[in-house]
Amino acid sequence: MIKEGVTNLKTIYDYTYAQLEEYAVQKGWKKYRAKQLFEWLYRKRIDDFSLMSDVSKEAIAILQAEFTIDPLKVISKQVSKDGTTKYLFELQDGSAIETVLMHFDYGKSVCVTSQVGCNMGCTFCASGLLKKQRDLTAGEMVAQIMYIQKELDPQEERVSNIVVMGTGEPFDNYDSVMNFCSIVNHDRGLAIGARHITISTSGLIEGIRKFALAHVQYNLAISLHAPNDELRSKLMPINKAYPLNQLMDAIRDYSVNNNRRITFEYILLKELNDTVECADQLSKLLHGMNAYVNLIPYNEVDENGYKTTDSLRAMKFYDALKKRGIAVTLRTKHGEDIDAACGQLRAKHEGRL
Ligand code: SAH
Ligand code: SF4
């Protein structure tokens, strides 16, 4: 649903540091205005340009006329027993997106949405129920982090990690996602370390190859979920366009050329991909790679009938991989009591679940 009559100014969060420098030069300002802006926006975290005491009134008036700062309105916020917090935000055009804050021993991690809906159509995923309406801009992703960071500020806490694992396929919105990462990573802003930022893809090969050539230090995670083409194509239609041999070639090239370890995400679906035979196939597929497998408990989505693997079977699968020399972790559930499944909250809001 698109709202009419809303002010639809571009958010200044859309701009990378280099783009702000370029913008400043175009306006006839000094380049260092980018530094001032980054500090006001991301260090002092202002919501109003008029607070920038070292910027001229004329420049402030121009910025106010051309940009908004915060493009999000919070619709609802749910806090689970383990502290996981799920935000449902409304964008300026009325679209709804969700963002999740998780608390770990090592810090606070935010799961960011990159598109309104998703076109990849994975059969187990609630996000796939809602077709992509549009890509998010870099600034709409930055704003998700900023909203949560501003909530953490009074407790003097900070967002330390980011995972691009909310609704959407990040490599179907490549440029904006990379700009987003560059903004939150920048030294003069939030300075979230590149190795604390993870992009998760369902396996768009062009994206993986582009990412490999960019030589950035963000982590790459691949949603694998099945060790053979037959099963993977059933779960993830994208596998028909990019079958496993091509996908694994692209990943191997990335890993070798960038000297990076890859995370493979693997949701455990009861009696489907959690058999010892699957563990065996998976270990062969990953043999010799600098990789580890992250086993994820499945959050059941009512509509599609897939079931979560119980913890005994999950441990068996874990052991079978370990025995075969694969590095593996078994993720614990977060925010189970608040519909933590990818896309569930938004789907509920739109009356789909
Ligand atoms: N589109 C990207 C990133 C968003 S999905 C991707 O697919 O990688 C982030 C992760 O959540 C993926 O690994 C995805 O497979 C997983 N996921 C989706 N639905 C889930 C569910 N119901 N329970 C557990 N994980 C789920
Ligand atoms: Fe899209 Fe990822 Fe969900 Fe697949 S798992 S439908 S790629 S969000």
Side-chain angles (χ1 to χ4, degrees):
M1 180 188 54
I2 305 291
K3 280 196 179 163
E4 281 171 28
V6 286
T7 39
N8 223 338
L9 287 179
K10 200 173 161 58
T11 166
I12 192 151
Y13 290 151
D14 277 334
Y15 280 59
T16 62
Y17 194 85
Q19 288 169 336
L20 272 184
E21 281 186 332
E22 218 174 278
Y23 173 81
V25 171
Q26 271 170 20
K27 293 283 171 203
W29 302 337
K30 292 265 190 306
K31 249 191 182 176
Y32 76 78
R33 180 132 295 156
K35 174 171 172 273
Q36 288 177 308
L37 278 166
F38 250 59
E39 282 176 358
W40 283 109
L41 290 169
Y42 301 116
R43 292 277 172 88
K44 301 193 180 99
R45 318 206 230 279
I46 53 158
D47 280 320
D48 181 349
F49 290 116
S50 67
L51 298 171
M52 302 191 301
S53 50
D54 56 359
V55 176
S56 69
K57 287 222 165 64
E58 296 74 37
I60 288 176
I62 291 173
L63 290 166
Q64 282 171 331
E66 294 188 11
F67 299 110
T68 176
I69 298 180
D70 184 3
L72 301 181
K73 263 205 313 224
V74 68
I75 300 173
S76 68
K77 184 176 152 183
Q78 284 176 276
V79 184
S80 91
K81 288 186 212 125
D82 63 16
T84 301
T85 307
K86 189 148 189 165
Y87 300 81
L88 185 67
F89 292 118
E90 186 179 282
L91 303 173
Q92 291 197 80
D93 68 357
S95 312
I97 57 161
E98 64 186 20
T99 309
V100 180
L101 165 66
M102 289 163 292
H103 307 270
F104 293 102
D105 301 341
Y106 55 78
K108 312 242 172 262
S109 181
V110 175
C111 177
V112 172
T113 279
S114 60
Q115 297 178 315
V116 182
C118 182
N119 271 346
M120 300 301 131
C122 303
T123 52
F124 52 81
C125 175
S127 297
L129 294 174
L130 302 162
K131 283 260 159 261
K132 178 176 102 171
Q133 287 159 33
R134 69 172 174 89
D135 291 329
L136 291 201
T137 69
E140 287 169 331
M141 289 178 256
V142 172
Q144 296 171 54
I145 303 297
M146 292 308 291
Y147 188 94
I148 292 172
Q149 182 55 60
K150 285 173 197 170
E151 276 203 346
L152 294 175
D153 279 338
Q155 298 124 57
E156 294 186 9
E157 288 180 312
R158 69 183 285 265
V159 174
S160 58
N161 294 66
I162 292 177
V163 290
V164 188
M165 289 191 188
T167 302
E169 167 47 52
F171 283 170
D172 184 37
N173 184 16
Y174 185 90
D175 292 341
S176 295
V177 167
M178 294 300 269
N179 283 350
F180 157 69
C181 292
S182 138
I183 294 164
V184 292
N185 172 237
H186 201 281
D187 283 350
R188 297 207 189 278
L190 293 170
I192 297 171
R195 297 203 173 208
H196 291 186
I197 299 173
T198 301
I199 299 172
S200 172
T201 179
S202 58
L204 293 190
I205 289 181
E206 290 93 345
I208 296 169
R209 296 221 176 265
K210 235 171 157 178
F211 187 77
L213 293 173
H215 293 292
V216 282
Q217 298 299 309
Y218 317 127
N219 303 309
L220 185 62
I222 309 287
S223 293
L224 193 63
H225 307 324
N228 61 62
D229 279 319
E230 192 191 348
L231 183 54
R232 196 164 189 270
S233 295
K234 272 191 200 141
L235 300 174
M236 306 178 74
I238 178 81
N239 193 69
K240 292 176 198 152
Y242 303 116
L244 277 172
N245 61 345
Q246 290 175 29
L247 176 63
M248 298 311 284
D249 277 350
I251 297 167
R252 253 189 297 272
D253 287 350
Y254 159 78
S255 172
V256 170
N257 293 334
N258 288 271
N259 193 23
R260 293 303 300 267
R261 188 153 96 143
I262 300 269
T263 306
F264 287 97
E265 291 165 274
Y266 196 97
I267 298 175
L268 288 168
L269 300 165
K270 192 174 178 186
E271 285 161 22
L272 209 60
N273 68 355
D274 65 350
T275 60
V276 173
E277 193 194 351
C278 281
D280 198 42
Q281 288 176 1
L282 185 58
S283 65
K284 286 180 181 135
L285 190 70
L286 305 186
H287 180 75
M289 284 183 81
N290 184 11
Y292 84 95
V293 176
N294 190 13
L295 299 175
I296 308 170
Y298 179 57
N299 275 309
E300 289 179 11
V301 177
D302 297 345
E303 297 197 347
N304 60 26
Y306 295 122
K307 294 279 170 244
T308 313
T309 297
D310 58 68
S311 45
L312 201 67
R313 265 181 96 90
M315 276 315 291
K316 263 195 180 160
F317 195 83
Y318 173 93
D319 286 340
L321 284 180
K322 265 229 138 126
K323 242 191 245 150
R324 288 162 177 78
I326 301 293
V328 54
T329 55
L330 183 56
R331 198 197 280 176
T332 49
K333 280 198 176 187
H334 282 268
E336 207 179 343
D337 50 324
I338 56 163
D339 298 332
C342 176
Q344 264 187 26
L345 184 64
R346 184 172 159 265
K348 259 194 183 150
H349 176 71
E350 314 223 331
R352 296 293 300 271
L353 285 179

